[in-house]
Amino acid sequence: MESGSSTLREIHSQPEVWGQCLNTLDKLDLESLVGDKAPRNYEWVFVGCGTSYYLAQAAAATFTMLGGAPARAVPASEILLAPKLAFPIKDAAIFPVLISRSGHTSEVLQVAEILRQRGVEFLAVTCDGNELTELSTRTLKLPVTEASTVMTSSFTSMLIALQYIAARFAGQDEFVEALRSLPAALAGMLPIYGPTIEEFAERSFDDVAFLGQGALYPIASESALKVMESSSCYAQFFHTLEFRHGPMSIMSEKVLVGALLSEAGYAEESAVLMEMKGLGGCTVAIANQLSPEVINSADLAIELALTGPELARLAVYVVWGQLLGCRLGLRKGLDPDSPRHLSRVVTLVD
Ligand code: F1P
């Protein structure tokens, strides 16, 4: 099979896959799945590893911002190695949500086993294996199949699913409607930005940094992870304004800075990106609506032009980092479907 063909196909399949997931969610009996665990009564603690951990962060941000009740994300390994830090409050007050595309990641399964032994009920969110689902009576399995090692459509689909649940709890029908508009919107954008990103990825970089604030921070983190996994290039992620506090010393013409710009912080965040351009860097600006100064300054400008609440746009923000990582990897002669040293599932043997 041609290098990267599964990853590219899976990235481009997202409009269709999101549509199928939304149909599954519409048919799901959410009340019996999690109705008794309302976020106003329980702290939802989202747990995962790798991409699923960044998804956990984006889900926690959505629950906190939409529902107004605190929610958190922790890597599964923290529950195993620093349990007092990960679960400082009573078991009875938390509702863990264990996220794993495969359902077979050892650290997540170990957390599931610990919770089961302690009698803590949890929701398992997955696209695949039953090893995880067998440990919980509450499971959400999405119709997403991926052949690639790297997670793309599974990340965005599970994100949309968790945002859908957050919106249902918050009684925000217009948020659910905004999620429903994403498949058609992305289908319109991919033919425009897909070729642009392919051409852009002809350049080579020594370092890559993705920046984002608020709920866009986990999306910047996942974008950087995609570039690392798919192109074996070191990529970092920062809260946008933090980049001035030290990291900017890496700036040169061989550094790529990608900024996921929010509406509320647009002026401050775009100023950082333009400053990095002034220091010789190559810049990518991604926003719902871009100002002429940013369009003129950035080497690559991606405008989402979506309607609906900003928080409902997270899934679309990540697609460009997915594509960029894959295209950079292909340009380097790598196979983004099977990145160096990685496997689809991290299985730890005792
Ligand atoms: C989590 C994960 C992936 C990563 C890698 C190993 O998988 O860390 O994010 O790309 O290939 O596994 P999962 O628990 O969601 O299946």
Side-chain angles (χ1 to χ4, degrees):
M1 216 161 51
E2 215 177 310
S3 290
S5 56
S6 296
T7 310
L8 279 177
R9 190 184 57 248
E10 286 154 14
I11 294 171
H12 282 271
S13 75
Q14 288 175 108
E16 199 186 328
V17 172
W18 294 354
Q20 288 160 359
C21 287
L22 285 161
N23 288 341
T24 302
L25 289 161
D26 285 342
K27 290 190 205 113
L28 196 73
D29 182 357
L30 274 179
E31 188 50 38
S32 31
L33 185 66
V34 285
D36 57 329
K37 298 287 181 185
R40 64 179 177 279
N41 301 328
Y42 293 83
E43 185 189 33
W44 283 46
V45 183
F46 297 88
V47 180
C49 298
T51 289
S52 294
Y53 171 52
Y54 299 130
L55 166 53
Q57 291 182 13
T62 306
F63 270 71
T64 303
M65 291 166 80
L66 265 193
R72 284 185 300 128
V74 271
S77 54
E78 280 290 270
I79 298 171
L80 302 176
L81 304 179
K84 286 192 179 139
L85 180 61
F87 285 160
I89 56 173
K90 290 197 305 291
D91 279 357
I94 58 168
F95 183 54
V97 179
L98 273 50
I99 306 167
S100 172
R101 166 183 70 173
S102 63
H104 297 299
T105 297
S106 295
E107 287 135 279
V108 176
L109 290 175
Q110 285 168 21
V111 169
E113 188 52 41
I114 289 170
L115 294 173
R116 205 180 59 82
Q117 283 171 14
R118 278 170 34 182
V120 180
E121 285 196 276
F122 64 90
L123 173 66
V125 179
T126 185
C127 304
D128 197 348
N130 28 13
E131 235 178 316
L132 176 62
T133 56
E134 275 165 10
L135 291 166
S136 178
T137 50
R138 301 172 190 252
T139 64
L140 173 55
K141 191 165 172 173
L142 292 173
V144 184
T145 313
E146 284 177 335
S148 177
T149 296
V150 297
M151 295 169 63
T152 54
S153 58
S154 56
F155 172 84
T156 51
S157 299
M158 290 192 281
L159 172 58
I160 288 172
L162 289 167
Q163 291 198 307
Y164 180 107
I165 295 175
R168 282 276 176 254
F169 270 120
Q172 302 234 9
D173 293 346
E174 74 283 11
F175 195 97
V176 174
E177 281 318 306
L179 293 176
R180 276 194 234 284
S181 71
L182 298 183
L186 180 61
M189 274 179 253
L190 282 166
I192 301 167
Y193 293 117
T196 320
I197 290 174
E198 185 176 359
E199 195 185 320
F200 179 81
E202 286 304 316
R203 313 171 193 215
S204 69
F205 305 102
D206 291 341
D207 290 297
V208 177
F210 276 92
L211 312 179
Q213 295 272 161
L216 287 172
Y217 176 69
I219 303 303
S221 313
E222 171 59 10
S223 304
L225 183 69
K226 285 287 86 77
V227 168
M228 280 193 272
E229 290 182 323
S230 307
S231 72
S232 300
C233 169
Y234 193 54
Q236 297 199 51
F237 41 93
F238 299 94
H239 289 92
T240 310
L241 270 61
E242 280 295 303
F243 199 66
R244 287 201 187 99
H245 296 270
M248 68 187 262
S249 75
I250 68 168
M251 288 312 298
S252 77
E253 68 287 351
K254 294 296 274 180
V255 175
L256 169 64
V257 180
L260 313 185
L261 304 168
S262 69
E263 261 168 7
Y266 186 86
E268 294 84 352
E269 294 165 19
S270 61
V272 175
L273 192 66
M274 289 193 284
E275 202 176 315
M276 297 314 133
K277 182 72 215 162
L279 293 176
C282 183
T283 58
V284 178
I286 306 172
N288 204 48
Q289 209 179 350
L290 287 163
S291 52
E293 313 84 77
V294 174
I295 293 175
N296 289 336
S297 145
D299 295 275
L300 175 61
I302 297 178
E303 214 166 27
L304 310 182
L306 296 166
T307 52
E310 179 163 37
L311 201 50
R313 303 174 195 149
L314 297 186
V316 180
Y317 266 98
V318 81
V319 172
W320 322 111
Q322 297 173 340
L323 270 176
L324 185 62
C326 188
R327 289 297 180 190
L328 286 172
L330 287 171
R331 207 244 319 119
K332 285 172 77 175
L334 301 170
D335 181 4
D337 290 351
S338 297
R340 280 195 312 195
H341 316 310
L342 294 186
S343 53
R344 266 175 70 82
V345 186
V346 176
T347 310
L348 308 173
V349 276
D350 303 317

